[in-house]
PDB file of all heavy atoms in Angstrom:
ATOM      1  N   GLY J1347     -34.493 -29.823  70.976  1.00 97.00           N
ATOM      2  CA  GLY J1347     -35.325 -28.731  71.467  1.00 97.00           C
ATOM      3  C   GLY J1347     -34.901 -27.375  70.967  1.00 97.00           C
ATOM      4  O   GLY J1347     -35.105 -26.331  71.658  1.00 97.00           O
ATOM      5  N   GLY J1348     -34.320 -27.328  69.748  1.00 96.00           N
ATOM      6  CA  GLY J1348     -33.865 -26.042  69.199  1.00 96.00           C
ATOM      7  C   GLY J1348     -32.577 -25.493  69.789  1.00 96.00           C
ATOM      8  O   GLY J1348     -32.251 -24.331  69.535  1.00 96.00           O
ATOM      9  N   ALA J1349     -31.877 -26.278  70.581  1.00 97.00           N
ATOM     10  CA  ALA J1349     -30.625 -25.781  71.201  1.00 97.00           C
ATOM     11  C   ALA J1349     -29.641 -25.358  70.133  1.00 97.00           C
ATOM     12  O   ALA J1349     -29.415 -26.071  69.131  1.00 97.00           O
ATOM     13  CB  ALA J1349     -30.046 -26.866  72.094  1.00 97.00           C
ATOM     14  N   GLU J1350     -28.969 -24.283  70.378  1.00 95.00           N
ATOM     15  CA  GLU J1350     -28.056 -23.695  69.382  1.00 95.00           C
ATOM     16  C   GLU J1350     -26.910 -24.626  69.051  1.00 95.00           C
ATOM     17  O   GLU J1350     -26.466 -24.671  67.897  1.00 95.00           O
ATOM     18  CB  GLU J1350     -27.522 -22.351  69.917  1.00 95.00           C
ATOM     19  CG  GLU J1350     -26.513 -21.644  68.984  1.00 95.00           C
ATOM     20  CD  GLU J1350     -25.981 -20.389  69.555  1.00 95.00           C
ATOM     21  OE1 GLU J1350     -26.361 -20.031  70.708  1.00 95.00           O
ATOM     22  OE2 GLU J1350     -25.140 -19.733  68.902  1.00 95.00           O
ATOM     23  N   HIS J1351     -26.409 -25.342  70.008  1.00 97.00           N
ATOM     24  CA  HIS J1351     -25.202 -26.148  69.824  1.00 97.00           C
ATOM     25  C   HIS J1351     -25.506 -27.632  69.671  1.00 97.00           C
ATOM     26  O   HIS J1351     -24.676 -28.477  69.974  1.00 97.00           O
ATOM     27  CB  HIS J1351     -24.238 -25.930  70.989  1.00 97.00           C
ATOM     28  CG  HIS J1351     -23.764 -24.497  71.058  1.00 97.00           C
ATOM     29  ND1 HIS J1351     -23.118 -23.899  70.024  1.00 97.00           N
ATOM     30  CD2 HIS J1351     -23.884 -23.570  72.058  1.00 97.00           C
ATOM     31  CE1 HIS J1351     -22.815 -22.665  70.353  1.00 97.00           C
ATOM     32  NE2 HIS J1351     -23.256 -22.424  71.585  1.00 97.00           N
ATOM     33  N   ALA J1352     -26.725 -27.945  69.191  1.00 98.00           N
ATOM     34  CA  ALA J1352     -27.101 -29.304  68.911  1.00 98.00           C
ATOM     35  C   ALA J1352     -27.062 -29.576  67.415  1.00 98.00           C
ATOM     36  O   ALA J1352     -27.541 -28.787  66.615  1.00 98.00           O
ATOM     37  CB  ALA J1352     -28.503 -29.610  69.466  1.00 98.00           C
ATOM     38  N   LEU J1353     -26.477 -30.678  67.033  1.00 98.00           N
ATOM     39  CA  LEU J1353     -26.409 -31.116  65.635  1.00 98.00           C
ATOM     40  C   LEU J1353     -27.136 -32.416  65.497  1.00 98.00           C
ATOM     41  O   LEU J1353     -26.735 -33.418  66.117  1.00 98.00           O
ATOM     42  CB  LEU J1353     -24.953 -31.278  65.196  1.00 98.00           C
ATOM     43  CG  LEU J1353     -24.691 -31.863  63.768  1.00 98.00           C
ATOM     44  CD1 LEU J1353     -25.163 -30.836  62.737  1.00 98.00           C
ATOM     45  CD2 LEU J1353     -23.240 -32.222  63.604  1.00 98.00           C
ATOM     46  N   VAL J1354     -28.193 -32.461  64.722  1.00 98.00           N
ATOM     47  CA  VAL J1354     -28.981 -33.681  64.524  1.00 98.00           C
ATOM     48  C   VAL J1354     -28.426 -34.475  63.335  1.00 98.00           C
ATOM     49  O   VAL J1354     -28.340 -33.915  62.207  1.00 98.00           O
ATOM     50  CB  VAL J1354     -30.467 -33.343  64.318  1.00 98.00           C
ATOM     51  CG1 VAL J1354     -31.245 -34.541  63.803  1.00 98.00           C
ATOM     52  CG2 VAL J1354     -31.064 -32.818  65.610  1.00 98.00           C
ATOM     53  N   VAL J1355     -28.048 -35.721  63.551  1.00 98.00           N
ATOM     54  CA  VAL J1355     -27.513 -36.529  62.484  1.00 98.00           C
ATOM     55  C   VAL J1355     -28.221 -37.891  62.488  1.00 98.00           C
ATOM     56  O   VAL J1355     -27.908 -38.786  63.271  1.00 98.00           O
ATOM     57  CB  VAL J1355     -25.999 -36.777  62.673  1.00 98.00           C
ATOM     58  CG1 VAL J1355     -25.466 -37.536  61.454  1.00 98.00           C
ATOM     59  CG2 VAL J1355     -25.268 -35.476  62.840  1.00 98.00           C
ATOM     60  N   PRO J1356     -29.236 -38.087  61.626  1.00 98.00           N
ATOM     61  CA  PRO J1356     -29.856 -39.422  61.511  1.00 98.00           C
ATOM     62  C   PRO J1356     -28.827 -40.457  61.155  1.00 98.00           C
ATOM     63  O   PRO J1356     -27.997 -40.262  60.306  1.00 98.00           O
ATOM     64  CB  PRO J1356     -30.882 -39.253  60.400  1.00 98.00           C
ATOM     65  CG  PRO J1356     -31.160 -37.732  60.356  1.00 98.00           C
ATOM     66  CD  PRO J1356     -29.850 -37.100  60.692  1.00 98.00           C
ATOM     67  N   CYS J1357     -28.847 -41.566  61.905  1.00 98.00           N
ATOM     68  CA  CYS J1357     -27.750 -42.554  61.768  1.00 98.00           C
ATOM     69  C   CYS J1357     -28.232 -43.918  62.251  1.00 98.00           C
ATOM     70  O   CYS J1357     -28.844 -44.036  63.320  1.00 98.00           O
ATOM     71  CB  CYS J1357     -26.547 -42.111  62.577  1.00 98.00           C
ATOM     72  SG  CYS J1357     -25.173 -43.262  62.656  1.00 98.00           S
ATOM     73  N   ASP J1358     -27.918 -44.937  61.460  1.00 98.00           N
ATOM     74  CA  ASP J1358     -28.097 -46.344  61.869  1.00 98.00           C
ATOM     75  C   ASP J1358     -26.736 -46.854  62.268  1.00 98.00           C
ATOM     76  O   ASP J1358     -25.842 -46.961  61.415  1.00 98.00           O
ATOM     77  CB  ASP J1358     -28.704 -47.150  60.719  1.00 98.00           C
ATOM     78  CG  ASP J1358     -28.887 -48.615  61.045  1.00 98.00           C
ATOM     79  OD1 ASP J1358     -28.424 -49.071  62.090  1.00 98.00           O
ATOM     80  OD2 ASP J1358     -29.502 -49.327  60.241  1.00 98.00           O
ATOM     81  N   VAL J1359     -26.518 -47.137  63.534  1.00 98.00           N
ATOM     82  CA  VAL J1359     -25.182 -47.482  63.985  1.00 98.00           C
ATOM     83  C   VAL J1359     -24.704 -48.827  63.448  1.00 98.00           C
ATOM     84  O   VAL J1359     -23.512 -49.156  63.578  1.00 98.00           O
ATOM     85  CB  VAL J1359     -25.086 -47.515  65.532  1.00 98.00           C
ATOM     86  CG1 VAL J1359     -25.347 -46.126  66.117  1.00 98.00           C
ATOM     87  CG2 VAL J1359     -25.988 -48.563  66.151  1.00 98.00           C
ATOM     88  N   THR J1360     -25.614 -49.616  62.855  1.00 98.00           N
ATOM     89  CA  THR J1360     -25.168 -50.905  62.252  1.00 98.00           C
ATOM     90  C   THR J1360     -24.647 -50.708  60.820  1.00 98.00           C
ATOM     91  O   THR J1360     -24.158 -51.667  60.229  1.00 98.00           O
ATOM     92  CB  THR J1360     -26.313 -51.903  62.222  1.00 98.00           C
ATOM     93  OG1 THR J1360     -27.340 -51.487  61.282  1.00 98.00           O
ATOM     94  CG2 THR J1360     -26.974 -52.064  63.603  1.00 98.00           C
ATOM     95  N   ALA J1361     -24.772 -49.494  60.283  1.00 98.00           N
ATOM     96  CA  ALA J1361     -24.359 -49.227  58.892  1.00 98.00           C
ATOM     97  C   ALA J1361     -23.053 -48.444  58.922  1.00 98.00           C
ATOM     98  O   ALA J1361     -23.004 -47.265  59.335  1.00 98.00           O
ATOM     99  CB  ALA J1361     -25.419 -48.394  58.165  1.00 98.00           C
ATOM    100  N   PRO J1362     -21.938 -49.063  58.458  1.00 98.00           N
ATOM    101  CA  PRO J1362     -20.640 -48.363  58.557  1.00 98.00           C
ATOM    102  C   PRO J1362     -20.614 -47.018  57.880  1.00 98.00           C
ATOM    103  O   PRO J1362     -20.007 -46.081  58.410  1.00 98.00           O
ATOM    104  CB  PRO J1362     -19.690 -49.389  57.855  1.00 98.00           C
ATOM    105  CG  PRO J1362     -20.314 -50.702  58.084  1.00 98.00           C
ATOM    106  CD  PRO J1362     -21.807 -50.454  58.014  1.00 98.00           C
ATOM    107  N   ALA J1363     -21.298 -46.858  56.746  1.00 98.00           N
ATOM    108  CA  ALA J1363     -21.254 -45.559  56.045  1.00 98.00           C
ATOM    109  C   ALA J1363     -21.991 -44.507  56.860  1.00 98.00           C
ATOM    110  O   ALA J1363     -21.568 -43.329  56.913  1.00 98.00           O
ATOM    111  CB  ALA J1363     -21.932 -45.727  54.681  1.00 98.00           C
ATOM    112  N   ASP J1364     -23.064 -44.877  57.564  1.00 98.00           N
ATOM    113  CA  ASP J1364     -23.778 -43.933  58.405  1.00 98.00           C
ATOM    114  C   ASP J1364     -22.883 -43.467  59.525  1.00 98.00           C
ATOM    115  O   ASP J1364     -22.848 -42.274  59.903  1.00 98.00           O
ATOM    116  CB  ASP J1364     -25.017 -44.569  59.000  1.00 98.00           C
ATOM    117  CG  ASP J1364     -26.228 -44.494  58.093  1.00 98.00           C
ATOM    118  OD1 ASP J1364     -26.061 -44.258  56.878  1.00 98.00           O
ATOM    119  OD2 ASP J1364     -27.374 -44.639  58.586  1.00 98.00           O
ATOM    120  N   VAL J1365     -22.169 -44.391  60.153  1.00 98.00           N
ATOM    121  CA  VAL J1365     -21.322 -44.045  61.274  1.00 98.00           C
ATOM    122  C   VAL J1365     -20.184 -43.155  60.835  1.00 98.00           C
ATOM    123  O   VAL J1365     -19.868 -42.158  61.512  1.00 98.00           O
ATOM    124  CB  VAL J1365     -20.760 -45.320  61.925  1.00 98.00           C
ATOM    125  CG1 VAL J1365     -19.723 -44.972  63.012  1.00 98.00           C
ATOM    126  CG2 VAL J1365     -21.903 -46.122  62.547  1.00 98.00           C
ATOM    127  N   GLU J1366     -19.582 -43.434  59.690  1.00 98.00           N
ATOM    128  CA  GLU J1366     -18.511 -42.573  59.170  1.00 98.00           C
ATOM    129  C   GLU J1366     -19.021 -41.160  58.932  1.00 98.00           C
ATOM    130  O   GLU J1366     -18.373 -40.135  59.206  1.00 98.00           O
ATOM    131  CB  GLU J1366     -17.884 -43.152  57.927  1.00 98.00           C
ATOM    132  CG  GLU J1366     -17.078 -44.420  58.163  1.00 98.00           C
ATOM    133  CD  GLU J1366     -15.925 -44.226  59.118  1.00 98.00           C
ATOM    134  OE1 GLU J1366     -15.224 -43.209  59.026  1.00 98.00           O
ATOM    135  OE2 GLU J1366     -15.753 -45.086  60.003  1.00 98.00           O
ATOM    136  N   ARG J1367     -20.241 -41.062  58.371  1.00 98.00           N
ATOM    137  CA  ARG J1367     -20.826 -39.740  58.083  1.00 98.00           C
ATOM    138  C   ARG J1367     -21.148 -39.024  59.389  1.00 98.00           C
ATOM    139  O   ARG J1367     -20.960 -37.797  59.504  1.00 98.00           O
ATOM    140  CB  ARG J1367     -22.124 -39.932  57.286  1.00 98.00           C
ATOM    141  CG  ARG J1367     -22.870 -38.616  56.990  1.00 98.00           C
ATOM    142  CD  ARG J1367     -24.031 -38.855  56.076  1.00 98.00           C
ATOM    143  NE  ARG J1367     -24.907 -39.939  56.537  1.00 98.00           N
ATOM    144  CZ  ARG J1367     -25.811 -39.865  57.496  1.00 98.00           C
ATOM    145  NH1 ARG J1367     -25.988 -38.677  58.114  1.00 98.00           N
ATOM    146  NH2 ARG J1367     -26.552 -40.872  57.844  1.00 98.00           N
ATOM    147  N   LEU J1368     -21.584 -39.731  60.431  1.00 98.00           N
ATOM    148  CA  LEU J1368     -21.872 -39.109  61.710  1.00 98.00           C
ATOM    149  C   LEU J1368     -20.653 -38.374  62.254  1.00 98.00           C
ATOM    150  O   LEU J1368     -20.724 -37.227  62.656  1.00 98.00           O
ATOM    151  CB  LEU J1368     -22.310 -40.181  62.716  1.00 98.00           C
ATOM    152  CG  LEU J1368     -22.293 -39.817  64.214  1.00 98.00           C
ATOM    153  CD1 LEU J1368     -23.262 -38.665  64.491  1.00 98.00           C
ATOM    154  CD2 LEU J1368     -22.631 -41.056  65.065  1.00 98.00           C
ATOM    155  N   PHE J1369     -19.494 -39.060  62.226  1.00 98.00           N
ATOM    156  CA  PHE J1369     -18.323 -38.407  62.797  1.00 98.00           C
ATOM    157  C   PHE J1369     -17.724 -37.365  61.883  1.00 98.00           C
ATOM    158  O   PHE J1369     -17.192 -36.345  62.361  1.00 98.00           O
ATOM    159  CB  PHE J1369     -17.284 -39.493  63.210  1.00 98.00           C
ATOM    160  CG  PHE J1369     -17.693 -40.174  64.470  1.00 98.00           C
ATOM    161  CD1 PHE J1369     -18.506 -41.296  64.457  1.00 98.00           C
ATOM    162  CD2 PHE J1369     -17.298 -39.705  65.698  1.00 98.00           C
ATOM    163  CE1 PHE J1369     -18.931 -41.914  65.609  1.00 98.00           C
ATOM    164  CE2 PHE J1369     -17.685 -40.299  66.898  1.00 98.00           C
ATOM    165  CZ  PHE J1369     -18.530 -41.410  66.825  1.00 98.00           C
ATOM    166  N   ALA J1370     -17.865 -37.557  60.577  1.00 98.00           N
ATOM    167  CA  ALA J1370     -17.427 -36.496  59.643  1.00 98.00           C
ATOM    168  C   ALA J1370     -18.273 -35.251  59.846  1.00 98.00           C
ATOM    169  O   ALA J1370     -17.769 -34.117  59.839  1.00 98.00           O
ATOM    170  CB  ALA J1370     -17.552 -37.020  58.200  1.00 98.00           C
ATOM    171  N   ASP J1371     -19.570 -35.437  60.029  1.00 98.00           N
ATOM    172  CA  ASP J1371     -20.463 -34.274  60.275  1.00 98.00           C
ATOM    173  C   ASP J1371     -20.147 -33.584  61.592  1.00 98.00           C
ATOM    174  O   ASP J1371     -20.127 -32.322  61.662  1.00 98.00           O
ATOM    175  CB  ASP J1371     -21.925 -34.703  60.291  1.00 98.00           C
ATOM    176  CG  ASP J1371     -22.447 -35.056  58.872  1.00 98.00           C
ATOM    177  OD1 ASP J1371     -21.678 -34.877  57.899  1.00 98.00           O
ATOM    178  OD2 ASP J1371     -23.605 -35.490  58.762  1.00 98.00           O
ATOM    179  N   ALA J1372     -19.875 -34.372  62.637  1.00 98.00           N
ATOM    180  CA  ALA J1372     -19.558 -33.774  63.913  1.00 98.00           C
ATOM    181  C   ALA J1372     -18.258 -32.973  63.833  1.00 98.00           C
ATOM    182  O   ALA J1372     -18.167 -31.819  64.332  1.00 98.00           O
ATOM    183  CB  ALA J1372     -19.427 -34.877  65.005  1.00 98.00           C
ATOM    184  N   VAL J1373     -17.223 -33.555  63.213  1.00 98.00           N
ATOM    185  CA  VAL J1373     -15.963 -32.823  63.095  1.00 98.00           C
ATOM    186  C   VAL J1373     -16.131 -31.617  62.175  1.00 98.00           C
ATOM    187  O   VAL J1373     -15.563 -30.559  62.430  1.00 98.00           O
ATOM    188  CB  VAL J1373     -14.838 -33.791  62.582  1.00 98.00           C
ATOM    189  CG1 VAL J1373     -13.594 -33.009  62.252  1.00 98.00           C
ATOM    190  CG2 VAL J1373     -14.556 -34.870  63.617  1.00 98.00           C
ATOM    191  N   GLY J1374     -16.897 -31.782  61.125  1.00 98.00           N
ATOM    192  CA  GLY J1374     -17.107 -30.662  60.202  1.00 98.00           C
ATOM    193  C   GLY J1374     -17.838 -29.513  60.858  1.00 98.00           C
ATOM    194  O   GLY J1374     -17.516 -28.346  60.595  1.00 98.00           O
ATOM    195  N   ALA J1375     -18.772 -29.808  61.737  1.00 98.00           N
ATOM    196  CA  ALA J1375     -19.554 -28.750  62.382  1.00 98.00           C
ATOM    197  C   ALA J1375     -18.825 -28.153  63.580  1.00 98.00           C
ATOM    198  O   ALA J1375     -18.876 -26.913  63.815  1.00 98.00           O
ATOM    199  CB  ALA J1375     -20.911 -29.290  62.836  1.00 98.00           C
ATOM    200  N   PHE J1376     -18.099 -28.976  64.338  1.00 98.00           N
ATOM    201  CA  PHE J1376     -17.557 -28.521  65.618  1.00 98.00           C
ATOM    202  C   PHE J1376     -16.051 -28.553  65.695  1.00 98.00           C
ATOM    203  O   PHE J1376     -15.490 -28.072  66.632  1.00 98.00           O
ATOM    204  CB  PHE J1376     -18.131 -29.404  66.752  1.00 98.00           C
ATOM    205  CG  PHE J1376     -19.638 -29.343  66.893  1.00 98.00           C
ATOM    206  CD1 PHE J1376     -20.374 -30.499  67.112  1.00 98.00           C
ATOM    207  CD2 PHE J1376     -20.306 -28.125  66.852  1.00 98.00           C
ATOM    208  CE1 PHE J1376     -21.747 -30.450  67.256  1.00 98.00           C
ATOM    209  CE2 PHE J1376     -21.681 -28.063  66.967  1.00 98.00           C
ATOM    210  CZ  PHE J1376     -22.403 -29.249  67.177  1.00 98.00           C
ATOM    211  N   GLY J1377     -15.381 -29.158  64.735  1.00 97.00           N
ATOM    212  CA  GLY J1377     -13.928 -29.154  64.683  1.00 97.00           C
ATOM    213  C   GLY J1377     -13.225 -30.322  65.350  1.00 97.00           C
ATOM    214  O   GLY J1377     -12.045 -30.583  65.046  1.00 97.00           O
ATOM    215  N   ARG J1378     -13.915 -31.063  66.229  1.00 98.00           N
ATOM    216  CA  ARG J1378     -13.283 -32.172  66.924  1.00 98.00           C
ATOM    217  C   ARG J1378     -14.341 -33.023  67.629  1.00 98.00           C
ATOM    218  O   ARG J1378     -15.516 -32.648  67.611  1.00 98.00           O
ATOM    219  CB  ARG J1378     -12.238 -31.663  67.944  1.00 98.00           C
ATOM    220  CG  ARG J1378     -12.810 -30.776  69.030  1.00 98.00           C
ATOM    221  CD  ARG J1378     -11.732 -30.214  69.968  1.00 98.00           C
ATOM    222  NE  ARG J1378     -11.176 -31.296  70.807  1.00 98.00           N
ATOM    223  CZ  ARG J1378      -9.925 -31.762  70.664  1.00 98.00           C
ATOM    224  NH1 ARG J1378      -9.115 -31.297  69.750  1.00 98.00           N
ATOM    225  NH2 ARG J1378      -9.465 -32.700  71.487  1.00 98.00           N
ATOM    226  N   VAL J1379     -13.909 -34.089  68.276  1.00 98.00           N
ATOM    227  CA  VAL J1379     -14.778 -34.926  69.103  1.00 98.00           C
ATOM    228  C   VAL J1379     -14.027 -35.169  70.408  1.00 98.00           C
ATOM    229  O   VAL J1379     -12.971 -35.772  70.393  1.00 98.00           O
ATOM    230  CB  VAL J1379     -15.138 -36.261  68.421  1.00 98.00           C
ATOM    231  CG1 VAL J1379     -15.928 -37.129  69.402  1.00 98.00           C
ATOM    232  CG2 VAL J1379     -15.968 -36.021  67.182  1.00 98.00           C
ATOM    233  N   ASP J1380     -14.586 -34.701  71.512  1.00 98.00           N
ATOM    234  CA  ASP J1380     -13.959 -34.921  72.842  1.00 98.00           C
ATOM    235  C   ASP J1380     -14.538 -36.173  73.527  1.00 98.00           C
ATOM    236  O   ASP J1380     -13.782 -36.821  74.275  1.00 98.00           O
ATOM    237  CB  ASP J1380     -14.156 -33.695  73.727  1.00 98.00           C
ATOM    238  CG  ASP J1380     -13.438 -32.457  73.181  1.00 98.00           C
ATOM    239  OD1 ASP J1380     -12.191 -32.495  73.111  1.00 98.00           O
ATOM    240  OD2 ASP J1380     -14.140 -31.524  72.756  1.00 98.00           O
ATOM    241  N   VAL J1381     -15.809 -36.447  73.343  1.00 98.00           N
ATOM    242  CA  VAL J1381     -16.463 -37.540  74.056  1.00 98.00           C
ATOM    243  C   VAL J1381     -17.414 -38.238  73.102  1.00 98.00           C
ATOM    244  O   VAL J1381     -18.157 -37.590  72.365  1.00 98.00           O
ATOM    245  CB  VAL J1381     -17.215 -37.054  75.312  1.00 98.00           C
ATOM    246  CG1 VAL J1381     -18.123 -38.111  75.850  1.00 98.00           C
ATOM    247  CG2 VAL J1381     -16.215 -36.612  76.371  1.00 98.00           C
ATOM    248  N   LEU J1382     -17.417 -39.580  73.150  1.00 98.00           N
ATOM    249  CA  LEU J1382     -18.505 -40.367  72.554  1.00 98.00           C
ATOM    250  C   LEU J1382     -19.211 -41.066  73.692  1.00 98.00           C
ATOM    251  O   LEU J1382     -18.574 -41.776  74.497  1.00 98.00           O
ATOM    252  CB  LEU J1382     -17.916 -41.425  71.595  1.00 98.00           C
ATOM    253  CG  LEU J1382     -18.873 -42.577  71.245  1.00 98.00           C
ATOM    254  CD1 LEU J1382     -20.052 -42.096  70.461  1.00 98.00           C
ATOM    255  CD2 LEU J1382     -18.142 -43.684  70.506  1.00 98.00           C
TER     256      LEU J1382
END
């Protein structure tokens, strides 16, 4: 909904490369991951 602190990452959770990219993008954008 246009939220400032939302990061959209298209991802198929059955694809290992997609999942690795998801967390790399989250860490790259926000610096860490506190909760999955």
